[in-house]
Amino acid sequence: METSRVVAVVVAYRPQGGGLQRLVAVLLGQVAHVVLVHNGPAGTQPLVSVERDHERLTELHLGENLGVARAQNVGIDQAREHRATHVVLFDQDSEPARDMIPRLLAAAYSMTQAGHRVAAVGPRYRDERQDNPPPFIQVRGVRLHRHRCDDEAAIVPVDYLVSSGCLMPMEALDAVGGMTEELFIDYVDIEWGLRAGAAGLQCFGVCGAHMRHSLGERPLMVMGRPRPLHTPLRHYYLFRNAVWLYRRPAVPRNWKWADGARLLLKYFAYSLYARPRAVHWWMMTLGVWHGLRGRLGRYGA
């Protein structure tokens, strides 16, 4: 671990408030370098102001919204130029604990020493607006198994990890490849995790690593419980990319059944409870249709 060099890649899109500034400040205390990828038009001012260690921060502007997958790949390529042994990805609305990355790095090292080919390790995240933290997910048979992390020292195998806070050895990225840019946003992390699994690598959830993360818009109350809610456009991407993924022959059939059942429940829940109902229903339905046709990329492009 002492020879490890971790580079953080942060993807920003129209950041507001001081969250991005706080995130970069925390990261500079845990990693060798921060690459900030602005997924939108270039501004006249830097996204963050760093009084010290400015040589350890690189800002890249893509000029337009090219999607989270493209932005992550650009950041990963930049991390290679900074001789990274590991890359850790972040969204702008995340805030890791001050010991999160060292804990992830230690877990990755421990699993490698135990003989595993590590694809990625990730933290537990908490969205304070919801009933959290959510469990780590793994499909067993045709059912979802939820690792609740009763033991803080536990490191549990999972099928995929939420991209924000996910730490990946560079050798895993070399073996599996980068993010699938045609997905644009949503299911990008899931598709990469499944692809890593097909290549013989394993993702792990680290119960003792913690992070705050905002998932979606204001939570939607469904039968008295808060559920993540996204915009109608995000629901389009979510359903389109899920259906496209189900059509991939390399994806295990049992995983398709388990995730598809959950997606169907979301379809009915958002159609009934998300407002405006007609808009959410239409965008989800259009996403299903485009997924069946294999139509990817940015919506409307």
Side-chain angles (χ1 to χ4, degrees), residues 75-195:
I76 291 167
D77 288 342
Q78 185 70 25
R80 283 193 177 92
E81 295 187 16
H82 289 281
R83 307 185 309 281
T85 61
H86 297 75
V87 174
V88 58
L89 303 176
F90 285 97
D91 298 337
Q92 66 191 32
D93 51 3
S94 299
E95 185 177 345
R98 295 188 179 274
D99 63 348
M100 190 196 85
I101 295 173
R103 284 179 177 268
L104 293 180
L105 194 61
Y109 179 78
S110 174
M111 291 297 99
T112 299
Q113 289 296 102
H116 298 282
R117 295 181 65 199
V118 176
V121 292
R124 298 181 78 195
Y125 71 87
R126 179 181 293 276
D127 186 339
E128 295 177 351
R129 305 168 303 171
Q130 302 183 41
D131 184 15
N132 277 323
F136 291 113
I137 297 296
Q138 184 183 32
V139 173
R140 295 180 178 176
V142 294
R143 301 184 66 179
L144 292 176
H145 176 73
R146 294 171 169 83
H147 295 284
R148 297 289 181 182
C149 282
D150 296 326
D151 182 1
E152 279 279 298
I155 301 173
V156 297
V158 293
D159 294 319
Y160 64 88
L161 293 159
V162 174
S163 61
S164 192
C166 179
L167 182 140
M168 298 170 287
M170 189 62 77
E171 61 183 20
L173 284 162
D174 292 338
V176 179
M179 309 301 150
T180 300
E181 297 180 6
E182 293 80 7
L183 294 177
F184 198 77
I185 192 172
D186 283 314
Y187 270 76
V188 174
D189 42 14
I190 296 175
E191 188 274 337
W192 190 90
L194 294 176
R195 186 158 26 105

Side-chain angles (χ1 to χ4, degrees), residues 27-85:
L27 290 178
L28 285 172
Q30 300 186 56
V31 302
H33 199 92
V34 175
V35 179
L36 178 56
V37 184
H38 183 30
N39 207 8
T44 58
Q45 300 293 328
L47 289 180
V48 296
S49 174
V50 180
E51 296 179 0
R52 299 177 300 173
D53 296 327
H54 58 85
E55 72 280 358
R56 296 172 53 220
L57 173 66
T58 300
E59 285 197 26
L60 303 174
H61 294 263
L62 300 186
E64 60 178 313
N65 183 8
L66 299 180
V68 66
R70 172 62 176 164
Q72 288 172 345
N73 284 341
V74 168
I76 291 167
D77 288 342
Q78 185 70 25
R80 283 193 177 92
E81 295 187 16
H82 289 281
R83 307 185 309 281
T85 61

